[in-house]
Amino acid sequence: MARTNDTQTVSVAGQRLRLTNPDKVIYPSTGTTKAEVIAYYMEIAPYLLPHLADRIVTRKRWVDGVGTADKPGEVFFEKNLPSSAPSWIRRVEIQHSDHVNTYPVFDSAAALAWAGQVGALELHVPQWKVGPRGGKQNPDHLVLDLDPGPGAGLPECVEVAKRARALLRDLDLEAYPVTSGSKGIHLYAGLDGTHDADYVNRFAKQFAQVLEAELPDLVVSSMKKSLRGGKVLVDWSQNNANKTTIAPYSLRGRTEPYVAAPRTWRELNDDLQHLTMDEVLKRMKRRKDPMADLAGPVPTSDKLSTYRSMRDASKTPEPVPEAAPGAADGQSFVIQEHHASSLHWDFRLEHDGVLVSWALPKGVPTDPKKNHLAVQTEDHPLEYGTFEGTIPKGEYGGGDVTIWDSGTYELEKWRDGKEVIAILTGRKGGGLGGPRKFALIKTGKNWLIHLMELPTKPAKKAAPRSMKRGFVAPMLAKLGSADDVRDEDDPSTGSGRGWAFEMKWDGIRAVAVIDGKDVGLFTRNENDVTAGYPEVVNALAELGLDDTVLDGEIVALNAAGVPDFGRLQQRMGLTKEADVEAARRDVPVKYLVFDLMRSGGDSLLDTTYVERRKALRSLKIAADVVDVPKAFDGSLADAVESSKTLGLEGVLAKRRDSRYLGGKRATAWTKVKHQRMQEVVVAGWREGQGARSGTIGALLLGIPTEDGLRYVGKVGTGFDERTLTDLQKRLAKLARKTSPLAETPREIARDAHWVTPSLVGEVSFAEWTSGGNLRQPSWRGIRTDKKPQEVALE
């Protein structure tokens, strides 16, 4: 952002915003300016906005900066949204006992930028949300503010937090810590919304009193200042419906730009300190939000506000929807011939729930050597894709509109504000005259549209039959512990002289059968997934290997370069070429090879692990898509610690002298996990509440036993919107009237939707309860590579 003291109007996240005095110093001790505050809120928006989603925001404003310790800046607490605020900020009216306040709900990075512009450093929210029409809902969060008194600090807060976590777990509630950026720690837990704020507030008070009884020398639950010396106040009162708490990732108005920062429990074992905004931005480049399970989806701003402001629904036949566009992932297009004050063509592509639009004064280019001007206009509603008619004279865009062509497009590239490349396939007899490929390129203030040559792509096919005949069933590992991985000559260290250690990659097992340019990819069940991973197939074909079989894992990497099973879900199960190509652009995959069963027609099944790895290394496989990870050089303890650092679930220990036992599970390969995972069979689902009303709130889970499918609990966290939509479609096809469980607990039978138990998934969890249920399970994804009968208790 350019630094100048002049007033300027800029475009922020699609909205126009007036900025003043960007060089004004807000935090004198660090020299942090208003421009840097706004930049922080813009960059942290993907993590902060989900915690603000559908919550009214009260603000603490330091218009002239926070000042210094000796001379604090003037601050005031603001509830009502001033009339000068931009019209595109969502407003919600809340009735209090004797008055009505109009609060903002921040649903875009632009709204956060506005907050920075007006000096609203601290963003405070209640533990409840508002509905689509602004109605107050029941709390979905419990919050405890651990506030250290004189003589106490963060170490004492950590001790209280850990005990509180244990007590909450006994109630099937998982706690999430946040260093407040002020003095102490905030502790959050998710609620199902069945109780009102008064109930939650009473519960929080009783919980604080229990903590005080258990830790009388450390905890106080009374607000009296005289009782707080050397102790931690467990402030339960912020669960009151009229109270608010600083939002996670909000700045604080301290002498330095500290942040209310969500932390992992592991961090609480370290020398815990409060974090500044620079430290938070740095850590979020390589981490996930530790509180992601409590956050909602990233709010979508109203992209049609500009369109709506330019039209009067009572005067024009154009569609003017009242509501903001919902999430959508369609790929429709329309090109309209528009006889307005000057003839032009409107070129519109569906993207993120709207029609992103350009005006083409000279029409659609027909010669690859001649580019045409494209002037980007406001986003239009999807309903405009079928609009034809006359816009009255005097209204915006007055004139006749007809559809020149329409259809669907295949996207190759979309860089917001910079470049779009797509192949358009119109209707029969349409103006395009067949499929056409266009590039829209931003040059200066406007765009150019360029006609490109259509590619000639071979169709992706399943593996040749000869590939499947060469399949070797993969060897399987048994679950064990460090005690199972010891050398007889040195059992105390687990140094691993007789063992090799590999990371347990978070993906799907895949056997690659290669014969020259012919390649087949198969799951452990011999399902052909060749068509789903063309980049892997192409990379393997380039190796030039004859009659070779590899064992490995297909993984999808997150932004930190770590395998992410959740991202891989977007690639699993796809077979149609268009679907695969679309998913491939967003979620590239890698094939990590860790064993070699046949090479050049020679079987290596009877050779040792060491010999097979040597043969594998001799193939010199090393590419962007296919790679051979090195075995870990060190002890089991070191390997486990490395796995934790990478965010993986554990280690595979393999005896160096072990033969390859295709299709068998053996202790010669032992899984040592530090994260608990369990494969499960979906038996049904229960409806959710609030935002999930009418859809899946929780999945009902089972594990096959000799006596039938045993109920092991329900999972209601770990889902994003895409996952829930996909699950709803899958389960609708499996609906049945009776329970598939051997014994159905009464508490779930009354409102369960049962399904045929054919869908296998995986969850992470804390532990098993005494009743044999999963405690705090979180959904990881569907296992299309597994069958229900293969699921067993880990």
Side-chain angles (χ1 to χ4, degrees):
M1 182 181 297
R3 302 259 181 107
T4 174
N5 289 324
D6 295 332
T7 298
Q8 53 184 308
T9 300
V10 298
S11 178
V12 180
Q15 303 292 358
R16 305 290 288 174
L17 183 63
R18 181 173 174 268
L19 298 182
T20 59
N21 302 319
D23 276 336
K24 177 186 286 185
V25 174
I26 303 298
Y27 292 91
S29 65
T30 57
T32 304
T33 65
K34 180 193 287 188
E36 289 170 323
V37 166
I38 294 174
Y40 167 77
Y41 273 132
M42 292 289 290
E43 193 169 345
I44 205 64
Y47 304 99
L48 170 55
L49 287 173
H51 293 288
L52 301 179
D54 297 323
R55 299 183 197 275
I56 60 172
V57 182
T58 54
R59 291 86 59 212
K60 287 184 74 172
R61 294 177 58 190
W62 284 263
V63 177
D64 295 316
V66 300
T68 63
D70 296 333
K71 190 177 180 180
E74 184 179 358
V75 58
F76 61 96
F77 202 72
E78 188 173 58
K79 295 182 179 181
N80 272 306
L81 187 67
S83 58
S84 59
S87 60
W88 40 261
I89 293 180
R90 181 184 174 192
R91 289 155 165 81
V92 172
E93 291 187 348
I94 299 294
Q95 176 70 57
H96 296 281
S97 58
D98 58 353
H99 65 284
V100 174
N101 280 343
T102 300
Y103 294 89
V105 173
F106 290 169
D107 57 8
S108 69
L112 296 177
W114 172 81
Q117 156 62 23
V118 299
L121 303 181
E122 293 194 1
L123 309 178
H124 294 248
V125 293
Q127 306 315 311
W128 46 266
K129 293 183 176 182
V130 294
R133 298 183 180 179
K136 291 171 63 173
Q137 300 178 339
N138 283 341
D140 63 339
H141 286 172
L142 167 77
V143 64
L144 299 171
D145 180 5
L146 310 184
D147 186 6
L154 280 178
E156 289 75 20
C157 290
V158 168
E159 187 175 345
V160 176
K162 289 181 177 179
R163 184 56 191 148
R165 182 194 193 192
L167 291 174
L168 287 170
R169 277 188 162 179
D170 289 339
L171 300 171
D172 283 335
L173 295 175
E174 182 56 55
Y176 298 84
V178 175
T179 45
S180 69
S182 179
K183 292 190 296 181
I185 292 174
H186 293 159
L187 211 57
Y188 288 85
L191 304 176
D192 60 11
T194 57
H195 298 293
D196 62 19
D198 287 341
Y199 178 95
V200 175
N201 199 44
R202 290 195 301 270
F203 167 80
K205 181 177 182 180
Q206 292 170 357
F207 187 87
Q209 291 169 340
V210 170
L211 266 177
E212 184 176 24
E214 291 214 1
L215 302 171
D217 296 330
L218 190 58
V219 171
V220 60
S221 62
S222 170
M223 304 295 174
K224 291 183 179 180
K225 291 185 178 180
S226 60
L227 302 176
R228 296 178 57 185
K231 294 185 178 182
V232 175
L233 168 65
V234 179
D235 184 355
W236 46 267
S237 66
Q238 294 182 36
N239 297 282
N240 184 300
N242 295 320
K243 294 289 190 71
T244 59
T245 307
I246 190 79
Y249 297 108
S250 171
L251 283 165
R252 299 305 302 256
R254 310 286 289 176
T255 54
E256 293 186 35
Y258 286 113
V259 172
R263 313 298 285 267
T264 65
W265 283 102
R266 186 178 176 186
E267 287 181 280
L268 268 63
N269 294 323
D270 301 330
D271 182 19
L272 194 65
Q273 303 290 332
H274 291 289
L275 300 177
T276 65
M277 69 180 196
D278 291 337
E279 292 170 324
V280 168
L281 289 177
K282 183 178 180 180
R283 70 193 257 117
M284 296 316 293
K285 288 180 179 179
R286 52 187 171 83
R287 299 184 183 219
K288 294 181 179 179
D289 178 7
M291 281 183 69
D293 286 345
L294 283 193
V298 177
T300 56
S301 58
D302 185 356
K303 297 181 180 180
L304 296 180
S305 57
T306 302
Y307 172 91
R308 230 181 263 107
S309 69
M310 302 166 74
R311 290 163 177 82
D312 185 339
S314 66
K315 296 179 180 179
T316 177
E318 299 166 282
V320 186
E322 294 182 2
D329 57 0
Q331 292 184 309
S332 66
F333 82 88
V334 64
I335 303 172
Q336 288 154 322
E337 187 174 328
H338 193 168
H339 292 263
S341 55
S342 61
L343 173 63
H344 63 274
W345 283 257
D346 293 313
F347 187 95
R348 313 189 195 280
L349 301 177
E350 179 181 351
H351 185 67
D352 285 348
V354 295
L355 291 172
V356 181
S357 301
W358 293 263
L360 311 181
K362 294 186 178 181
V364 178
T366 56
D367 184 348
K369 297 180 181 179
K370 294 182 179 180
N371 299 331
H372 285 185
L373 175 67
V375 181
Q376 188 165 19
T377 60
E378 73 279 7
D379 294 338
H380 281 51
L382 296 182
E383 296 90 332
Y384 217 96
T386 58
F387 173 69
E388 290 185 297
T390 300
I391 302 172
K393 187 177 181 180
E395 294 301 306
Y396 176 76
D400 294 331
V401 177
T402 57
I403 293 178
W404 188 75
D405 206 344
S406 63
T408 59
Y409 71 90
E410 180 182 344
L411 184 65
E412 287 196 5
K413 183 182 293 187
W414 192 296
R415 298 166 63 210
D416 281 324
K418 296 181 180 179
E419 181 183 17
V420 177
I421 300 176
I423 299 173
L424 278 59
T425 303
R427 60 191 182 184
K428 188 176 182 180
L432 289 176
R436 295 289 185 268
K437 183 177 181 178
F438 296 101
L440 285 149
I441 304 167
K442 182 75 175 291
T443 58
K445 292 183 178 180
N446 282 317
W447 296 67
L448 293 177
I449 184 168
H450 168 66
L451 177 66
M452 302 178 71
E453 296 290 341
L454 277 171
T456 54
K457 296 189 297 184
K460 300 291 186 295
K461 297 180 180 179
R465 290 186 177 181
S466 60
M467 296 294 97
K468 201 162 189 176
R469 287 198 296 269
F471 174 80
V472 176
M475 182 173 174
L476 305 176
K478 285 195 172 183
L479 183 65
S481 67
D483 291 335
D484 299 311
V485 184
R486 289 287 184 266
D487 287 323
E488 291 79 2
D489 57 341
D490 190 3
S492 62
T493 63
S495 61
R497 280 192 290 252
W499 296 83
F501 305 119
E502 300 174 6
M503 296 296 107
K504 189 178 187 307
W505 303 111
D506 210 359
I508 60 170
R509 190 80 170 271
V511 172
V513 183
I514 310 168
D515 196 3
K517 295 296 182 182
D518 289 335
V519 176
L521 288 176
F522 305 95
T523 69
R524 53 178 283 191
N525 296 319
E526 210 170 344
N527 293 328
D528 187 348
V529 293
T530 309
Y533 305 97
E535 64 267 61
V536 175
V537 172
N538 294 337
L540 291 172
E542 291 300 317
L543 296 176
L545 302 175
D546 294 325
D547 197 6
T548 296
V549 181
L550 304 173
D551 189 1
E553 193 96 355
I554 295 175
V555 300
L557 306 182
N558 60 21
V562 176
D564 187 330
F565 188 69
R567 279 178 57 78
L568 186 61
Q569 290 284 298
Q570 299 174 48
R571 293 292 302 268
M572 293 170 63
L574 300 181
T575 56
K576 294 181 180 178
E577 182 179 355
D579 294 341
V580 171
E581 287 301 312
R584 176 181 171 183
R585 283 187 291 271
D586 295 331
V587 186
V589 299
K590 294 192 71 165
Y591 183 49
L592 303 180
V593 184
F594 46 72
D595 219 317
L596 176 63
M597 296 94 100
R598 189 163 63 248
S599 180
D602 296 329
S603 173
L604 301 179
L605 300 182
D606 287 332
T607 62
T608 66
Y609 169 85
V610 172
E611 291 167 331
R612 295 196 308 278
R613 289 287 296 191
K614 182 178 180 180
L616 179 58
R617 289 194 297 272
S618 71
L619 298 181
K620 297 182 179 180
I621 299 172
D624 290 340
V625 177
V626 179
D627 200 5
V628 179
K630 293 181 179 179
F632 191 85
D633 186 16
S635 69
L636 173 62
D638 291 337
V640 170
E641 189 60 32
S642 179
S643 174
K644 291 178 180 178
T645 301
L646 291 172
L648 301 175
E649 61 174 295
V651 170
L652 273 172
K654 299 181 178 180
R655 288 211 61 93
R656 297 177 185 274
D657 59 359
S658 63
R659 268 56 177 173
Y660 195 95
L661 305 176
K664 296 181 180 180
R665 192 179 299 275
T667 54
W669 284 14
T670 296
K671 292 181 286 187
V672 181
K673 294 185 177 183
H674 53 79
Q675 290 188 35
R676 303 196 74 172
M677 309 289 180
Q678 175 64 54
E679 291 169 4
V680 290
V681 178
V682 178
W685 57 280
R686 300 174 75 177
E687 289 188 15
Q689 297 179 349
R692 288 202 204 169
S693 179
T695 62
I696 296 172
L699 298 177
L700 307 176
L701 311 176
I703 292 179
T705 68
E706 293 181 357
D707 299 322
L709 192 64
R710 179 172 74 82
Y711 178 71
V712 293
K714 61 183 184 294
V715 58
T717 62
F719 306 107
D720 56 24
E721 292 300 318
R722 183 199 296 264
T723 302
L724 286 171
T725 301
D726 177 57
L727 283 168
Q728 198 81 58
K729 291 178 181 178
R730 290 175 182 266
L731 297 182
K733 298 176 183 178
L734 300 174
R736 57 185 275 175
K737 294 183 178 180
T738 58
S739 170
L741 299 168
E743 294 184 12
T744 305
R746 183 181 301 174
E747 66 270 17
I748 68 166
R750 62 180 181 274
D751 58 357
H753 298 262
W754 302 114
V755 298
T756 300
S758 58
L759 186 67
V760 175
E762 185 174 84
V763 296
S764 60
F765 67 106
E767 60 186 352
W768 292 100
T769 68
S770 58
N773 287 352
L774 298 160
R775 189 186 295 281
Q776 289 125 28
S778 179
W779 183 255
R780 283 173 47 78
I782 296 171
R783 299 298 313 222
T784 57
D785 56 331
K786 300 291 178 70
K787 297 177 181 178
Q789 57 267 33
E790 295 180 282
V791 174
L793 191 65
E794 286 277 14

